[in-house]
Amino acid sequence: MHTFPFHKWMEKQSRQENLIYLVLWAMLFVAPLLSMYVHSVSDQNFVFEWSDLWIVWPTFLVFLVLFLIHNFLLAPLLIYQQRRSLYFSIVTVIVVLFSVYQCTTKPRDFRPDFPKQEMRHEGPHHPHKHPPVFIGQHDVIAVFILVLMFGMNVGIKGYFKHRGDQKKMKRLEHQNLEQQLEYLKYQINPHFFMNTLNNIHALVDIDPEKAKSTIVELSKMMRFILYEGDKHGVPLTREFEFIRTYLSLMRLRYTDKVKITVELPTEVPDKTVPPLMLISFIENAFKHGISYQRDSFIDIHVSVEQQRLRFLCHNSKADKPNQEKGGVGLANVRQRLQLLYDNNFTLNIQDNPDTYHVELTIPL
């Protein structure tokens, strides 16, 4: 039979749970002492004697020992291992043995030692006779208290386990979110290097000087991707600068038949956005909207209103879209937005026969 080491149960039991048990048992043991103290203050004829406490405390001690056995050995079987049959079998045996103990061991009555003059009017003294061995009212109450104590212990331990499982699930969901975001960003990053290198390759024979300046621009993009791309958010100024650099490289690649217009805010608030989010739509517009046979256009407009960023991208559609491999699919972008903002964003896409329109609104 597989057993779980005792120290493992201790690790699972939280400090808050231990503190609850400590406070409850401390209150239980202090209650008789406090009651006798209050009685002695309010009644001058009452004599405080420590021996009276030793009548009550041993009974409490029996309950405490049973509680410790249940808390550290039995309750974990039910809560952590789901071994219900074994748990209820052992608990039943303990309850039966406790009932037998209650029937065969009758504690003395716990009564204050009143002065003798108050006892004069009592009837004739009868010798105390031990009751026969059967379950009486006090025994039923004691057994009920024991079962209630076990149930309370299971309830508290189950609550803390449920709370711990929720924390663990949130931690795993957060780790999974981080991994998915990293995966999505790794899908994005290589394409920019490939696309920009194609631009430089096209310029080497046509205009070597422009090719050199393009390499400088490429280094800026690489620096942004390497040092900013793995962050949760980048300043709007850095994201807009990256967009301008990307567009300047793309303008070098195409002729005057491609009209590229961009409108970015001149006054940028001190806010952040997920890196490489907006550029995904711009890259997609170049990939599917540029035609070498007829005039094409790409219009980009970004504005900031009421703590929200509004991104618009309107472009023509090519008869034969660019067949370059790579890039970021729309499903990838939607997934990333969903992971980052849940449902606190709007993404409207209009795929018309000749044009393609994207409108994105995200909180800042």
Side-chain angles (χ1 to χ4, degrees):
M1 181 179 64
H2 177 72
T3 59
F4 211 84
F6 177 76
H7 70 277
K8 292 295 184 180
W9 299 139
M10 292 296 294
E11 291 177 0
K12 286 180 176 290
Q13 188 159 305
S14 66
R15 293 182 179 179
Q16 290 182 347
E17 185 180 351
N18 288 329
L19 182 61
I20 290 176
Y21 298 146
L22 180 62
V23 171
L24 290 177
W25 281 105
M27 291 173 59
L28 184 63
F29 275 87
V30 171
L33 179 62
L34 183 61
S35 177
M36 292 182 63
Y37 174 76
V38 172
H39 196 179
S40 64
V41 172
S42 60
D43 187 357
Q44 296 181 354
N45 296 323
F46 179 80
V47 179
F48 184 97
E49 294 183 1
W50 285 96
S51 59
D52 293 332
L53 290 175
W54 293 110
I55 300 175
V56 181
W57 280 351
T59 303
F60 289 175
L61 186 61
V62 172
F63 281 98
L64 176 59
V65 171
L66 293 176
F67 171 81
L68 294 176
I69 294 174
H70 182 270
N71 180 66
F72 292 109
L73 299 179
L74 301 182
L77 293 175
L78 179 64
I79 300 300
Y80 299 119
Q81 290 190 325
Q82 302 297 316
R83 303 176 68 176
R84 296 181 177 85
S85 299
L86 180 61
Y87 168 79
F88 286 109
S89 299
I90 298 177
V91 168
T92 301
V93 172
I94 290 178
V95 172
V96 171
L97 293 177
F98 179 77
S99 301
V100 174
Y101 168 80
Q102 284 294 113
C103 293
T104 57
T105 306
K106 296 293 183 180
R108 293 189 294 120
D109 292 335
F110 175 59
R111 295 185 304 173
D113 187 12
F114 293 103
K116 294 182 179 180
Q117 59 269 22
E118 295 183 6
M119 304 294 292
R120 293 175 182 175
H121 300 288
E122 291 187 357
H125 176 72
H126 297 283
H128 178 72
K129 295 181 179 181
H130 291 281
V133 180
F134 65 91
I135 298 180
Q137 180 180 0
H138 296 287
D139 303 321
V140 173
I141 293 176
V143 173
F144 177 76
I145 291 174
L146 179 67
V147 174
L148 188 65
M149 180 181 69
F150 286 172
M152 179 199 67
N153 185 208
V154 169
I156 293 176
K157 193 174 292 294
Y159 165 76
F160 279 100
K161 179 183 182 297
H162 177 69
R163 193 179 70 167
D165 291 343
Q166 285 186 326
K167 290 182 179 180
K168 185 184 296 184
M169 286 299 299
K170 289 181 180 180
R171 186 164 58 250
L172 291 176
E173 289 175 359
H174 179 73
Q175 292 176 354
N176 184 49
L177 172 62
E178 295 294 328
Q179 292 175 356
Q180 291 186 58
L181 291 177
E182 288 297 322
Y183 171 74
L184 296 178
K185 285 188 289 187
Y186 284 141
Q187 283 185 312
I188 296 172
N189 298 349
H191 179 74
F192 286 109
F193 293 110
M194 179 187 65
N195 199 31
T196 307
L197 288 174
N198 288 337
N199 293 341
I200 297 174
H201 179 266
L203 289 173
V204 168
D205 296 329
I206 301 175
D207 194 336
E209 293 300 323
K210 282 188 176 182
K212 293 179 182 180
S213 62
T214 303
I215 293 175
V216 176
E217 299 297 324
L218 174 61
S219 66
K220 296 180 181 179
M221 296 179 64
M222 292 177 62
R223 188 178 298 111
F224 179 86
I225 293 175
L226 291 175
Y227 296 105
E228 306 289 345
D230 60 345
K231 296 181 179 179
H232 294 286
V234 295
L236 281 173
T237 53
R238 300 297 305 277
E239 183 73 12
F240 292 163
E241 180 182 354
F242 183 83
I243 292 175
R244 291 189 183 95
T245 303
Y246 179 82
L247 292 175
S248 65
L249 294 177
M250 298 305 289
R251 284 191 177 98
L252 294 175
R253 186 176 182 180
Y254 297 105
T255 64
D256 294 338
K257 288 187 176 181
V258 180
K259 183 180 180 182
I260 303 173
T261 58
V262 58
E263 183 178 349
L264 299 175
T266 55
E267 296 183 1
V268 181
D270 187 19
K271 300 293 182 178
T272 61
V273 292
L276 306 175
M277 177 65 74
L278 304 180
I279 203 70
S280 303
F281 296 101
I282 299 175
E283 178 269 339
N284 197 61
F286 277 99
K287 182 178 180 181
H288 299 285
I290 300 301
S291 174
Y292 293 97
Q293 288 76 29
R294 57 186 180 87
D295 293 343
S296 306
F297 70 90
I298 296 178
D299 296 332
I300 300 169
H301 176 79
V302 181
S303 60
V304 178
E305 302 173 359
Q306 298 180 352
Q307 302 298 315
R308 298 184 73 87
L309 183 141
R310 185 167 179 258
F311 169 82
L312 299 175
C313 183
H314 186 60
N315 60 271
S316 57
K317 290 179 64 175
D319 298 332
K320 294 182 179 181
N322 192 340
Q323 298 300 320
E324 291 180 354
K325 296 181 179 181
V328 182
L330 182 60
N332 183 304
V333 179
R334 284 186 182 275
Q335 184 180 4
R336 190 179 179 203
L337 286 168
Q338 189 69 41
L339 290 172
L340 288 170
Y341 300 107
D342 195 11
N343 293 320
N344 191 23
F345 74 95
T346 58
L347 177 60
N348 297 320
I349 297 178
Q350 298 178 10
D351 190 358
N352 301 318
D354 298 326
T355 60
Y356 194 83
H357 183 78
V358 176
E359 180 179 358
L360 172 66
T361 305
I362 57 176
L364 295 175

